[in-house]
Amino acid sequence: PPSGELGRGLEGGRRHGGRCLLIPARRATRALVRSALLGGSAALVALALPSCSLLGFDALTAGGGADGGPRPDGGADPDGDADAACGRDCLGGVCRAGRCEPVALYTEQGEPTGLGLAGASLYWVNRAPAALYRGTVEGGARGRVDDVVDNIQGPWDIAADDAFVYWTEYEANTVWRKPRSGGAKERVAFGAGRVAYFTLAPGQLYATDYRLDTPATGSVTVAALAPQSPSAVVYAQQPLATGIALDRNILVWGRGGDAGALYTAPEADGGGGAVAQLVLDVGEAVHGVAAAGDDIYYVAGERRLVHLRRSDPRPEILYEADAPFGAGDVAVDDRAVYWTEPRRGLVQRLAR
């Protein structure tokens, strides 16, 4: 097997239509392979092995760098189909066998977990080391949202509105915010459990109490978007409640663990009376969740991105990694769905 710089980044290949694909390769590895191919190195050509554990030709321009950006060739693939075969613009991803493939917008991140979307801006949480980042839906340079005085501890999820960036700090069971233009952070909401994922609504936020220490407990809570707001439970008895989304005044959230599932319920103010409904018994852990109109997207089994229609609850796997990538999160806009892969350090995009 290859070693050193070449050996790193070659794992994660998968077979697709009899071909080896890398998801994704390191920029240094791609440059080395490209240089070797131009120089006629037979040894590197031999890396496209049937096992798909090493680098194939399709990986030469896959993915972006630490500061992001789609592949430098804009996703062109001489062996792939035209975007027309996919029925839509693949947004820089390869169209193969009638399906768009993802583009790595940001790579080499430190366990990226929570993901938020505000207009053309992407926000995400890096857990190791703890940091908050902002980029764009097209990739490119990233920028830090937090600074040293914020002293971020155990961040989990992130979101933004026109004025503020919000994030959760899991162990402290707190939602914080700071102005998008910069400034001091302030505590917005707090509770008695372990606030993890959350979603914004006009004047308030909904969060999940994701208790890994006591997995039989959990809830969905609501709090005002005002400093020092206490949380109120709106849906109790939600063990391992995970990713949560709000669309058309309807909440959708996931359940982690082996009994993973998707639930839905109307917005509520903590007064009680509303009942959560089971949408789908997934049968494996659900983490990040996003919703837009009839469409629900979620991370299942820490390795799959799945699409579900409210009107036709038959899940469709949009993407599957060769190995679990961790408790990723999901965001969606009119053009694409975005997700994080913590163990692989990726922020990915797939055309809708």
Side-chain angles (χ1 to χ4, degrees):
S3 60
E5 182 61 30
L6 180 59
R8 293 191 295 270
L10 295 185
E11 298 178 356
R14 65 182 173 89
R15 182 172 295 281
H16 185 98
R19 308 164 69 91
C20 291
L21 303 179
L22 183 73
I23 310 173
R26 291 170 62 96
R27 284 190 300 176
T29 300
R30 294 195 304 273
L32 180 58
V33 174
R34 186 180 295 109
S35 175
L37 287 176
L38 290 173
S41 170
L44 285 172
V45 171
L47 288 178
L49 299 178
S51 67
C52 287
S53 61
L54 299 179
L55 185 64
F57 292 109
D58 294 327
L60 295 180
T61 55
D67 286 335
R71 288 176 304 228
D73 64 0
D77 180 1
D79 296 320
D81 305 321
D83 278 2
C86 282
R88 61 188 181 279
D89 182 357
C90 287
L91 302 178
V94 172
C95 175
R96 191 180 307 282
R99 296 175 68 92
C100 292
E101 295 192 351
V103 171
L105 296 178
Y106 296 93
T107 66
E108 301 175 18
Q109 302 303 299
E111 294 186 22
T113 307
L115 183 67
L117 183 63
S121 295
L122 278 175
Y123 293 84
W124 68 92
V125 166
N126 276 5
R127 290 179 55 80
L132 311 177
Y133 282 97
R134 175 175 55 233
T136 79
V137 296
E138 301 300 335
R142 65 176 186 173
R144 284 287 289 267
V145 173
D146 63 303
D147 52 42
V148 174
V149 298
D150 291 329
N151 191 27
I152 303 296
Q153 300 289 326
W156 194 286
D157 200 5
I158 191 168
D161 59 19
D162 291 341
F164 294 96
V165 178
Y166 303 80
W167 70 94
T168 55
E169 295 188 15
Y170 181 75
E171 296 295 338
N173 190 41
T174 300
V175 182
W176 299 87
R177 75 179 182 186
K178 65 182 300 180
R180 289 179 61 169
S181 58
K185 73 174 186 179
E186 62 180 352
R187 187 167 74 162
V188 177
F190 59 94
R194 287 287 186 268
V195 62
Y197 299 92
F198 72 103
T199 187
L200 298 178
Q204 58 189 12
L205 63 84
Y206 292 91
T208 56
D209 180 6
Y210 179 47
R211 299 194 186 190
L212 293 172
D213 53 344
T214 54
T217 62
S219 61
V220 175
T221 64
V222 66
L225 288 182
Q228 307 294 333
S229 299
S231 298
V233 173
V234 288
Y235 295 102
Q237 299 179 357
Q238 300 298 316
L240 290 175
T242 55
I244 186 167
L246 174 67
D247 184 71
R248 299 184 301 183
N249 304 115
I250 300 295
L251 292 165
V252 182
W253 67 89
R255 175 175 175 167
D258 294 338
L262 284 170
Y263 293 89
T264 187
E267 282 194 80
D269 59 7
V275 178
Q277 301 291 326
L278 177 68
V279 176
L280 182 69
D281 183 358
V282 178
E284 58 184 352
V286 173
H287 288 285
V289 176
D294 194 41
D295 300 306
I296 298 172
Y297 300 90
Y298 60 96
V299 170
E302 299 190 358
R303 68 187 302 167
R304 282 175 285 277
L305 175 68
V306 185
H307 172 230
L308 184 74
R309 294 187 183 278
R310 299 175 197 255
S311 58
D312 182 13
R314 290 178 292 182
E316 172 194 13
I317 297 174
L318 300 179
Y319 163 85
E320 182 168 6
D322 285 339
F325 54 67
D329 198 9
V330 188
V332 63
D333 62 17
D334 291 340
R335 299 192 312 153
V337 56
Y338 312 82
W339 71 98
T340 54
E341 300 188 15
R343 295 178 190 170
R344 304 173 78 174
L346 299 177
V347 179
Q348 300 250 56
R349 178 183 71 192
L350 180 66
R352 293 182 64 186

